[in-house]
């Protein structure tokens, strides 16, 4: 049985014993283990059924610890860390030799961030080691944004979910790597590109479709419900075209009144993209439970967090058979 609890000291005991705890962060829940315990890290990969080519993000509680994880910090990386940590920004930098290969999938770089969630920070401050904490979902499925989502995926597989409420940001961190000293976006996420560009100037997105991409969050199909999902600009046209099916709708800001709709969710009545991002995965979890033939999702205006939401919705639409 999985315990769902707010008891940080219990989480400390379990993590010190090389077992796993699902932890809250401001982005999504993470499946956390000691980065220096081979046993814990192996069980993260096994529990998630995550391929070993997919490296893990290291979570630390303060920027002073960064030099213990990475061996070199370009000026623009330091500027981003100073401006945005704790927060939903992951930096990929050259690793220190003590970082195990299993964490980095054999790469010479390591991904690191400071989560902006008080419970996660309190926990990290009580441990003698950083935590690897990939999203607490089976590989490729929708990320969890509540303790209940984690429990639905992993009941009995993990000892504890540390319950820190619903995740306020709701989509994963933005991942930034470096080519030379120049930053590049590897994965769109909860920190909008515009925020990053206001700190380090214009930045390129490396969004190629690869089998072992630089950041597997870039895999073509990821974050996906089981129900067939399409992403459209014109909702009513798409509803009309699919009228013979049992339709679920994920709308930006208003309900539709078409008879063919069996279930619908509006992400933000006021078109607030932060509100929409925080509700996105819970909405997909709910839609996926309704026994629908199709989920029709409405595309957001392509800027700010809207761009990150569209990225996730796009990856949710890729049919398994087509890749
Ligand atoms: P998640 O499983 O949601 O925590 O996602 C972790 C993301 O961080 C994945 O997309 C990883 O590929 C990415 N990542 C971790 N380490 C590295 C690295 N060394 N280089 C590039 N991406 C990384
Ligand atoms: Mg993930």
């Amino acid at each position: 049985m999985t315990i769902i609890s707010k008891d940080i000291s219990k989480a400390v005991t379990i993590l010190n014993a090389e077992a796993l705890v699902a932890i809250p962060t401001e982005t999504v829940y993470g499946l956390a283990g000691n980065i220096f315990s081979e046993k814990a890290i192996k069980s993260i990969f096994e529990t998630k059924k995550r391929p070993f080519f997919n490296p893990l993000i290291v979570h630390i509680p303060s920027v002073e610890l960064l030099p213990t994880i990475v061996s070199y910090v370009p000026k623009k990386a330091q500027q981003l860390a100073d401006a945005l940590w704790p927060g939903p920004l992951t930096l990929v930098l050259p690793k220190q030799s003590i970082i195990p290969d299993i964490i980095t999938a054999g790469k010479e770089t390591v991904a690191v961030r400071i989560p902006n969630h008080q419970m996660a920070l309190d926990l990290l401050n009580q441990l003698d080691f950083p935590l690897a904490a990939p999203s607490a979902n089976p590989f490729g499925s929708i990320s969890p944004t509540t303790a209940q989502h984690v429990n639905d995926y992993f009941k009995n597989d993990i000892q504890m979910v540390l319950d820190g409420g619903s995740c306020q940001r709701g989509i994963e961190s933005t991942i930034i790597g470096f080519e030379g000293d120049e930053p590049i976006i590897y994965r769109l996420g909860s920190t909008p590109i515009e925020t990053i560009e206001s700190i380090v100037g214009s930045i390129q997105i490396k969004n190629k479709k690869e089998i072992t991409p630089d950041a597997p969050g870039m895999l073509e199909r990821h974050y996906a419900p089981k129900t067939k999902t399409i992403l459209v600009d014109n909702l009513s046209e798409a509803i009309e075209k699919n009228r013979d099916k049992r339709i679920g709708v994920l709308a930006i800001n208003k309900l539709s009144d078409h008879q063919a709709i069996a279930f619908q969710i509006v992400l933000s009545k006021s078109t607030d993209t932060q509100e929409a991002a925080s509700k996105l995965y819970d909405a997909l979890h709910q839609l996926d439970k309704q026994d629908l033939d199709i989920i029709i999702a409405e595309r957001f205006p392509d800027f700010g967090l809207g761009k990150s939401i569209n990225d996730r919705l796009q990856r949710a639409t890729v049919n398994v058979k087509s890749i």
Side-chain angles (χ1 to χ4, degrees), residues 27-38:
T27 59
V28 303
Y29 273 73
L31 186 58
N34 175 355
I35 66 161
F36 298 118
S37 160
E38 197 179 318

Side-chain angles (χ1 to χ4, degrees), residues 65-73 91 93-96 99 110 112:
L65 289 171
L66 186 59
T68 65
I69 310 294
V70 309
S71 59
Y72 172 64
V73 183
L91 296 174
L93 294 169
K95 78 180 192 80
Q96 284 288 8
I99 304 299
V110 61
V112 58

Side-chain angles (χ1 to χ4, degrees), residues 48 50 135 137 143 222:
K48 278 181 63 73
R50 182 177 174 112
S135 50
N137 55 314
S143 297
H222 209 96

Side-chain angles (χ1 to χ4, degrees), residues 27-31 48 50 53-59 90-93 95 103-113 132-137 139 143 172-173 175-177 186-187 213-219 222-223 312:
T27 59
V28 303
Y29 273 73
L31 186 58
K48 278 181 63 73
R50 182 177 174 112
F53 69 70
N54 197 339
L56 305 175
I57 298 175
V58 171
H59 293 71
T90 296
L91 296 174
V92 175
L93 294 169
K95 78 180 192 80
I103 296 290
T104 65
K107 288 173 187 274
E108 283 307 308
T109 52
V110 61
V112 58
R113 85 174 189 103
S135 50
N137 55 314
F139 183 68
S143 297
E172 294 79 354
S173 59
I175 302 182
I176 300 211
Y186 283 170
R187 175 176 77 181
D214 288 317
M218 288 161 58
L219 284 173
H222 209 96
Y223 316 108
R312 296 306 188 269

